[in-house]
Amino acid sequence: MEMEPTGRYYDGLVAARRYVTLALTRDAGSAELIIADRDTREELDRWPVDSVFELAGLGDDLRLGAADRPYGARLTLPTGEWSTALREAIPGLGRRSRLERGQQRRVLAGAVAALVSVIAAYVFGVPVLADSATNLVPPAWEIRLGEGARLQIEAMLGNGRRFEACGSEFSQANRAIDRFAAEVMAGTASPFTPRVTIVRSPLTNAFALPGGQVYYFSGLLERTETADEFAGVLAHELGHVVHRHGMEMLIESSATGLLVGFVLGDMTNLSVAAAAGATLIDSRFSREAEHEADAFAGAAGNRLGFSPQALADLLGLVAEDTTMTRSLALLSTHPLTDERRAALEALEVAPAITRPAFSDIEWQSIKSMC
């Protein structure tokens, strides 16, 4: 059988389009589709019919490719008698098209299943694994990670200048803060020795890093009205240290980075490093972690004699300020909800010994240290 339809041809190597004529021959024993230049009649290619398949496309044009040719090799025939005749002459075209569509559906179904698995792993598996894996991380490793994060954060807060902490290391204010931190940590069996730094910054924030470093910004200190509010926030952040929430979040974010890298084909650890850096600089703990830190602060308050309710009072006070900066703000990382306020209120019981967390002189020195 011979026929000479006209179509458009791309060889898959260059973008040039050629107008061609076609012929179907069985001279060599197996059918071949001969592609020749329409004007010069120069033969451009021969596609074995067994390798030819139909491609999906817009409109009714017949679009063909060949399995043993470059991926971009294409042959397009306008709808009409020639395309109909070619379909009849190569009965396998329709079957190949159906097989291709079936393969596409299977690939799509596999991709959807993989995406669902990744989402399920992120939502359910990663937090569970992070919680278990945290206990396997040696404290010395966590301390080194926290030290690296400290250098990053202090460089960021310094904004090109020398990082500025409030008060000298041996000032009355810092001695009182160190004494309070040691009292809060007593009996916890934590391997970390906390280091509390009051930072000169307008941001209303406080946060803890892996390994024991705690920051309290002067912007928040200005909004802190009582020694119990200050003690409540510090005890809360020390609760994150004791429960190793920073390390847990770092592991969780790194695992998420691995999942994203797997989906995107990026297994160079770039996504893991980016996730870890972002986590260490801007810690946003889970609701469960915040409840654990609140409970720790409440227990510390009842043991040492300051009011756990003061923490909720300060969070509520900051929440009322709608004009404050939201970048690294306390309510951004420690959102106060009705549920959380109720939980904090329920934690407070009459302590066996009632005494202020800081003396009046200590509290005044802390308030004025920046």
Side-chain angles (χ1 to χ4, degrees):
M1 172 182 178
E2 298 218 357
M3 53 185 175
E4 194 176 83
T6 301
R8 300 185 302 277
Y9 168 70
Y10 301 86
D11 63 9
L13 302 175
V14 297
R17 177 179 60 188
R18 305 283 293 270
Y19 288 95
V20 296
T21 61
L22 308 175
L24 190 64
T25 179
R26 300 182 185 275
D27 293 344
S30 60
E32 292 180 313
L33 186 62
I34 302 174
I35 305 170
D37 185 277
R38 183 185 61 183
D39 299 322
T40 66
R41 300 292 171 160
E42 173 191 0
E43 184 176 312
L44 302 176
D45 203 354
R46 287 182 177 230
W47 288 0
V49 167
D50 291 342
S51 71
V52 177
F53 57 90
E54 185 175 354
L55 293 162
L58 298 176
D60 297 325
D61 289 354
L62 175 62
R63 300 176 70 247
L64 304 176
D68 57 353
R69 292 298 186 270
Y71 177 77
R74 296 289 182 266
L75 185 60
T76 303
L77 283 80
T79 184
E81 59 179 306
W82 289 121
S83 60
T84 300
L86 196 57
R87 279 194 174 96
E88 293 175 352
I90 310 178
L93 279 183
R95 181 178 60 82
R96 292 190 187 95
S97 180
R98 288 191 296 273
L99 287 174
E100 184 188 51
R101 286 195 295 270
Q103 291 171 346
Q104 290 172 346
R105 293 191 188 99
R106 287 192 292 273
V107 169
L108 179 60
V112 171
L115 180 59
V116 170
S117 299
V118 168
I119 293 173
Y122 173 74
V123 174
F124 301 108
V126 170
V128 173
L129 291 174
D131 183 47
S132 302
T134 298
N135 295 325
L136 302 178
V137 177
W141 290 14
E142 182 170 339
I143 291 171
R144 286 198 296 270
L145 282 171
E147 180 63 16
R150 181 187 69 81
L151 295 175
Q152 292 181 44
I153 288 177
E154 292 185 359
M156 178 187 71
L157 294 174
N159 195 24
R161 300 182 296 274
R162 185 177 180 275
F163 170 76
E164 188 174 3
C166 298
S168 67
E169 181 179 357
F170 301 105
S171 66
Q172 182 181 32
N174 277 320
R175 289 201 311 272
I177 291 170
D178 290 343
R179 183 260 308 158
F180 174 78
E183 291 176 350
V184 171
M185 297 291 286
T188 63
S190 172
F192 308 116
T193 300
R195 176 187 174 190
V196 180
T197 303
I198 309 299
V199 182
R200 192 184 305 278
S201 169
L203 299 176
T204 50
N205 196 33
F207 60 90
L209 296 178
Q213 178 68 56
V214 175
Y215 289 96
Y216 201 109
F217 288 18
S218 62
L220 179 61
L221 185 57
E222 292 175 4
R223 303 297 304 264
T224 306
E225 297 182 347
T226 69
D228 278 3
E229 289 176 355
F230 182 72
V233 174
L234 279 188
H236 174 92
E237 298 304 332
L238 292 171
H240 286 310
V241 172
V242 169
H243 289 287
R244 306 180 74 177
H245 291 149
M247 192 68 237
E248 183 179 316
M249 176 166 280
L250 177 57
I251 293 173
E252 183 175 335
S253 294
S254 298
T256 302
L258 284 172
L259 287 172
V260 173
F262 175 77
V263 173
L264 300 180
D266 169 22
M267 297 305 290
T268 62
N269 291 327
L270 293 178
S271 55
V272 176
T279 299
L280 291 174
I281 291 175
D282 185 12
S283 298
R284 300 179 186 274
F285 295 116
S286 68
R287 176 177 295 184
E288 292 75 14
E290 294 295 359
H291 284 320
E292 280 189 322
D294 282 345
F296 179 87
N302 291 324
R303 174 167 55 88
L304 299 177
F306 65 89
S307 170
Q309 173 61 32
L311 173 59
D313 293 340
L314 178 58
L315 288 171
L317 177 66
V318 176
E320 293 173 358
D321 186 355
T322 58
T323 63
M324 71 177 183
T325 175
R326 300 299 294 176
S327 175
L328 281 178
L330 185 67
L331 263 293
S332 170
T333 53
H334 303 77
L336 180 64
T337 63
D338 292 339
E339 176 190 0
R340 187 176 176 194
R341 178 185 288 278
L344 283 167
E345 291 173 349
L347 290 173
E348 187 164 19
V349 298
I353 301 174
T354 301
R355 64 181 177 84
F358 301 94
S359 69
D360 290 340
I361 295 176
E362 288 175 335
W363 175 233
Q364 290 308 313
S365 66
I366 291 171
K367 278 289 288 184
S368 60
M369 67 188 299
C370 288

